[in-house]
Structures are given as structure tokens and as C-alpha cells.
């Protein structure tokens, strides 16, 4: 169980990780700069287990993977949103940050609410209500189970993806 | 059979694929730049294998080049060390990655290209499948030469009507972006066609494909024709792709007869208005350049407008030719001299101030006109600056007047 950090529509990777802070690959440095303009109190107050809850097109804009890295490095266990920009969603899955599409949950959850996310089924629970989010694709599940794309391909090669329909 | 993107991928895999299929495909060339390469290198190193093929890797220093801070310089050193260790020779510090990929022939009709940058959609204008991914994906491509993707559905944009100066492909793309929104082509390929696109130069088509990324597009493509083949050579051994009995998820018709110069207002590129809505807004900085509009034709438009004129004293004007080839050609033609004499600052080829780290970082309360593709808060510096996206023609007229200006008033 964690708390919800509520964000609006169209939160770009420039907002998650402004360009002037991403000249590093150090997860701790990136974590400190995460959302520093959109939610200046975020990095200081976020706790492991918290969840980001956002509107449409979360992570739009630049492909910078520093954005999902910075969110994960803060201990956020999942991002629940109405929708995700393509590259952000792919990057997040690749590094083991679950992303769940669930417009109903986003509409119902307020900032600071207690939230629990089942990242295998896409189910979001908050305030005694349960919302059926979109479950992750078979491919995303396989990447998550392996611990990330690098771990999956390093272990099983591309055959792991080519053999089974995804 | 299929849309342009289905044809390209089917040709490369030697079997018919359709939208919705997930495939593992070979990648002709993958690139990363000075911001995304370091994370890609870390992902590659975790793979623990040799580089699949150094000849298929391109590394570009463009985002902060030359380095403006010690942190940026250290990233450059790491990339150079990686290149030396793995015999990567395709190392460029002569302009924006997306321009280099076209100029140097890494992106070619019929090919598959992946870049660790969102605007890797740009070379779809050549009739290849090119898309942006993150650093981890590119790191895995460095190790395996392959990647996975879902074959995208296609939005066909059919453009008809005369596109007369000062209107350009930028106005067409912004207009479409305003109509469908920043997620209007999410996960889709945007296929640009119609008589107007057929008449466009390659420079103009590259602008359409570039801005497809800002519609959420996974790819932006134009059909291959004589214009394409005059500026690029197809991948050997694969047929030149053409849409054949395509099934489009959606078709958007754009008629240019009443198109006005377009301006994307803050806070996002899909907040698009006719110029009349914002004319007269005072502007502190004009940035002309980027992977959207730093090409030779853009320099020509800007020099043509600035000839015999002076930029407004309150409006610092930064012009950044997108590559060394563009820069030297514009120099040879006298355009750079014209631009400098008008009072603009001309910077070395690269991303310039587009991403807020160098060459014109903006303060709170300042207003910017930029010919790039992004105007999110904080993009060019302070989150309290306002960024307006326009064509080079509008940007040049604005630089002279010091306020957003319709170039048609001063022709
Ligand atoms: S010019 Fe701007 S949008 Fe284009 S690659 Fe550089 S930073 Fe990205």
C-alpha cells in the first residue's frame, strides 16, 4: 500500500526530468531531480511503495529513459494513467517500472489517497473500491518476470520472444 | 500487400506482416546521441556480449556540443571511450543526429532504423521504417542487431492544394497536430501522401515525418518517388516499398486552400492557432534551427527575409544550421553573412537552444518563438518561459518586428 501522487494530462518527460538535470546516469541524482518543477515536493516526500496517478499521454515528448529511471529510483511501484506515450511506456517496461492504463482509477483517486496496484492483473485498489485496469501484455509480463529487457534477452535471446506469440 | 510500413517490414522479414503483429526484426542502423548514449552503453554492457556490428552503430554529439558543462564533457568522454573500445568509427560531431542519419546515408528507402531519440521518425520521409526508442532498447540492439516491435496501424494523411510561400510543410504538420492532438496518432504510423506531398522537396517531407513524433506517432512516412531517390539510395536487395491495397485505420484529408501560418502556443505543440490569434505578442528570443527546421531550405527562407533588414534590438535571434553540410552550403551561398549582418547570432551545428542547455537558455517570464517541435514548460530553460512554435518564415518576420508577425504583411 502506498500513497497516490496525482498529476494532470500531458506530463512530458521534460516535466518528469528537465533537460538541465539529465546529464548523468546516476539513479540517485536523477531521483532527486524527478518532477522538480511539476511537483517540487515530490522527491523529498515520496516513499517506497507510492504510486503516480496521472492523466492522458503520460511521458510524452523526448525518449529520455532518465525519466522512468528517476521515478523507479524513488521507489515508486507503478504509474497508473489514462494513457501513456509510446516510448515512455516501452522504456518503463524495459527497466521494470510497471505502467497501468486505468482511466476509472485516475478519475476516482485523489492526491495522497492510499492506493494498491496489482501489477500482474492491472487491478488498482483505493478507498475500498477496486478498478480493473488494463493488464500488461504477455510481452510486458515476460520482460517484467525476467527483471527487464536486458535480463530477458541476455538469458533467453530473442528466441524467447520469437517462439511464443506475444 | 499493405500500408507503407507493413510493406517495409514484410519485405525485410520475407513474410507478410500486418498491423498488430509483434515481430523481432533486424535493424540496419541504430544510433544514440550524447544524452541517450551513456544509458544505452550501460544497458549494452549489462548484456555482456560483444558489439553485434560496429558498422551499424552511429554515435552523434549534438545535444550539448561542444560541452557547456563539466557533466556534459564527462558524458562525451564516456562515449568516446566506448567507441574506441568497440571500434565504432561512425562518430559525428557535425550536426543534429537526425540530419546526419540522412546526409550520411544511414537511413535509406526500405530500411529499418532505430534511434535513441524520439524524433527518429524523421527519416521515414525517405520511405524507411524508423522509430525512436529508449536507451535500454538501443543497448540491446547494440548487442544483438535486432529488436522487437508491434507493427503499427496507419493513419493516412492526404494533403491536397497549393502550398505557396510563406506556407511550408511546418504549417501543414502543425495544422494536423492541432487537429488530432499530441496523442492523436499514438502507437500509429503516420503516412503522408497526396498531391501536395508529392510536390514537396525532401527537406519539406522530413519536417512532416519529424513532427509525426509529436502526434504520438511511432513512425512518419512518405512514399518513395523520384524526389526521394534523387537524395538517397535504397537498401540493396530489398524492393522499393510502396503501399499496395493498403488498409488504413483512419484517413485524414487536409485541404490547404484556407491554411494560415500556424502557431503552436504554450503549453504543448498541439495547442495550434492561426497566426491571427497571436499576432503582436512581444518576443524576447527567436530560435531558428532544430531537426524540424534547420535545413538548407529553411536557411534560404530566413536569409531571404532578413536580407536588407535588421532584427529587433529586444529580440535576440539565434540561428543554428542543423549540420556542417548545411552550414557550409549556406555560407557559400552568402546566406549566413546575410543572417549575421541582420544581427542574428549563428551557432555551430547541433541542437542549439532547443532543449534548454546552451546557446540561449531562457528566463522566467520570457517569450520565445522557436522553429523546433517542442514547447513544453521548461523545455528551453525556465518553466515560466513561454514557447511558441512556428515556421522559419514566421520566425524571421518575428525576429525583425520583435513581436509575432505574419510574414505576408511584409513581403
Ligand atoms: S533539435 Fe531538438 S528535438 Fe531535434 S534532436 Fe535536437 S533536442 Fe531533439
Amino acid at each position: 500500500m502506498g500513497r497516490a501522487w496525482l498529476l494532470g494530462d500531458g506530463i512530458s518527460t521534460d516535466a518528469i526530468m528537465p533537460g538541465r538535470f539529465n546529464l548523468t546516469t546516476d539513479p540517485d541524482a536523477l531521483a532527486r531531480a524527478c518532477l522538480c518543477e511539476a511537483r517540487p515536493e515530490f522527491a523529498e516526500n515520496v516513499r517506497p511503495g507510492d504510486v503516480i496517478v496521472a492523466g492522458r499521454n503520460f511521458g510524452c515528448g523526448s525518449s529520455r529513459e532518465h525519466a522512468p529511471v528517476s521515478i523507479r529510483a524513488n521507489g515508486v511501484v507503478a504509474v497508473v494513467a489514462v494513457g501513456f506515450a509510446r516510448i515512455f511506456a516501452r522504456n518503463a517496461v524495459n527497466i521494470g517500472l510497471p505502467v497501468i492504463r486505468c482511466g476509472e482509477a485516475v478519475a476516482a483517486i485523489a492526491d495522497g489517497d492510499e492506493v494498491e496496484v496489482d501489477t500482474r492483473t492491472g487491478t488498482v485498489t483505493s478507498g475500498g473500491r477496486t478498478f480493473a485496469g488494463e493488464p500488461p501484455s504477455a510481452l510486458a509480463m515476460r520482460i517484467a518476470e525476467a527483471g527487464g529487457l536486458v535480463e530477458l534477452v541476455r538469458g533467453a535471446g530473442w528466441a524467447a520472444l520469437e517462439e511464443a506469440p506475444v | 500487400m499493405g500500408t507503407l510500413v507493413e510493406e517495409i517490414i514484410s519485405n525485410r522479414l520475407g513474410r507478410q506482416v500486418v498491423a498488430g503483429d509483434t515481430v523481432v526484426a533486424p535493424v540496419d542502423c541504430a544510433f544514440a546521441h550524447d544524452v541517450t548514449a551513456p544509458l544505452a552503453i550501460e544497458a549494452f554492457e549489462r548484456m555482456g556480449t560483444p558489439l553485434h556490428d560496429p558498422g551499424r552503430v552511429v554515435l552523434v554529439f549534438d545535444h550539448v556540443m561542444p560541452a557547456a558543462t563539466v557533466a556534459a564533457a564527462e558524458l562525451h568522454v564516456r562515449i568516446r571511450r566506448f567507441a574506441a573500445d568497440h571500434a565504432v568509427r561512425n562518430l559525428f560531431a557535425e550536426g543534429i543526429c537526425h540530419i546526419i542519419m540522412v546526409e550520411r546515408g544511414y537511413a535509406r528507402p526500405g530500411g529499418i532504423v532505430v534511434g535513441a531519440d524520439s524524433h527518429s521518425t524523421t527519416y521515414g520521409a525517405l520511405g524507411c521504417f524508423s522509430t525512436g526508442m529508449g536507451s535500454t532498447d538501443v543497448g540491446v540492439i547494440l548487442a544483438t542487431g535486432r529488436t522487437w516491435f508491434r507493427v503499427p496501424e496507419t493513419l493516412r494523411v492526404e494533403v491536397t492544394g497549393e502550398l505557396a510561400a510563406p506556407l511550408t510543410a511546418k504549417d501543414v504538420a502543425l495544422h494536423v497536430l492541432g487537429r488530432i492532438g499530441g496523442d492523436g496518432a499514438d502507437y500509429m504510423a503516420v503516412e503522408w501522401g497526396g498531391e501536395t506531398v508529392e510536390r514537396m522537396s525532401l527537406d519539406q517531407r522530413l519536417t512532416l515525418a519529424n513532427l509525426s513524433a509529436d502526434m504520438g506517432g511511432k513512425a512518419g512516412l512518405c512514399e518513395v518517388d523520384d524526389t526521394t531517390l534523387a537524395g538517397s539510395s535504397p537498401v540493396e536487395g530489398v524492393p522499393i516499398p510502396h503501399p499496395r491495397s493498403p488498409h488504413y485505420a483512419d484517413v485524414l484529408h487536409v485541404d490547404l486552400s484556407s491554411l494560415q501560418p500556424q502557431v503552436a502556443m504554450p503549453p504543448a505543440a498541439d495547442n495550434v492557432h492561426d497566426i491571427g490569434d497571436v499576432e503582436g505578442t512581444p518576443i524576447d528570443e527567436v530560435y531558428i534551427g532544430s531537426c524540424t527546421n534547420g535545413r538548407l531550405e529553411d536557411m534560404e527562407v530566413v536569409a531571404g527575409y532578413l536580407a536588407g533588414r535588421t532584427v529587433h534590438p529586444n529580440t535576440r535571434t539565434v540561428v543554428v544550421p542543423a549540420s556542417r553540410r548545411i552550414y557550409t552550403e549556406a555560407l557559400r551561398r552568402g546566406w549566413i553573412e546575410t543572417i549575421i549582418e541582420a544581427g542574428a547570432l549563428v551557432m555551430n551545428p547541433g541542437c542549439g537552444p532547443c532543449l534548454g542547455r546552451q546557446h540561449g537558455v531562457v528566463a522566467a517570464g520570457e517569450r520565445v518563438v522557436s522553429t523546433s517541435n517542442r514547447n513544453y514548460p521548461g523545455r528551453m530553460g525556465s518553466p515560466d518561459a513561454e514557447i511558441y512554435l512556428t515556421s522559419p518564415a514566421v520566425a524571421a518576420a518575428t525576429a525583425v518586428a520583435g513581436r509575432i508577425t505574419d510574414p505576408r504583411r511584409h513581403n
Side-chain angles (χ1 to χ4, degrees), chain B residues 62-63 96-98 117 119 287 290-291 351 354-355 373 379:
Chain B
D62 58 355
H63 277 56
I96 303 172
C97 49
H98 306 305
D117 189 279
H119 289 102
Y287 160 47
S290 86
C291 55
C351 297
C354 179
L355 71 167
N373 43 48
R379 173 70 181 181

Side-chain angles (χ1 to χ4, degrees), chain A residues 72 92-97 140-154, chain B residues 46 136 140:
Chain A
R72 192 195 52 181
V93 168
N94 282 346
I95 63 164
L97 173 68
M141 277 307 295
R142 212 165 301 157
I143 293 172
E145 279 162 9
L149 181 72
V150 165
E151 290 69 18
L152 177 75
V153 177
R154 189 178 60 204
Chain B
R46 283 192 289 122
T136 295
V140 173

Side-chain angles (χ1 to χ4, degrees), chain B residues 305-367:
Chain B
Y305 191 89
L306 292 182
R309 295 188 168 112
T310 311
V311 305
H312 194 276
N314 294 343
T315 309
R316 55 182 184 276
T317 299
V318 181
V319 178
V320 190
S323 74
R324 182 163 71 203
R325 281 193 199 171
I326 294 167
Y327 195 178
T328 49
E329 186 57 27
L331 265 174
R332 214 177 53 74
R333 299 186 188 194
W335 298 341
I336 298 295
E337 189 175 342
T338 302
I339 291 168
I340 292 173
E341 278 180 346
L345 303 167
V346 177
M347 300 296 177
N348 65 284
C351 297
C354 179
L355 71 167
R357 280 180 232 171
Q358 59 181 353
H359 298 173
V361 178
V362 295
E366 287 199 304
R367 291 201 190 88

Side-chain angles (χ1 to χ4, degrees), chain A residues 19 25 56 65 90 94 154, chain B residues 42 46 135-136 148 357:
Chain A
T25 60
R56 283 174 55 180
E65 199 164 304
R90 188 168 170 133
N94 282 346
R154 189 178 60 204
Chain B
E42 289 182 9
R46 283 192 289 122
S135 294
T136 295
W148 72 270
R357 280 180 232 171

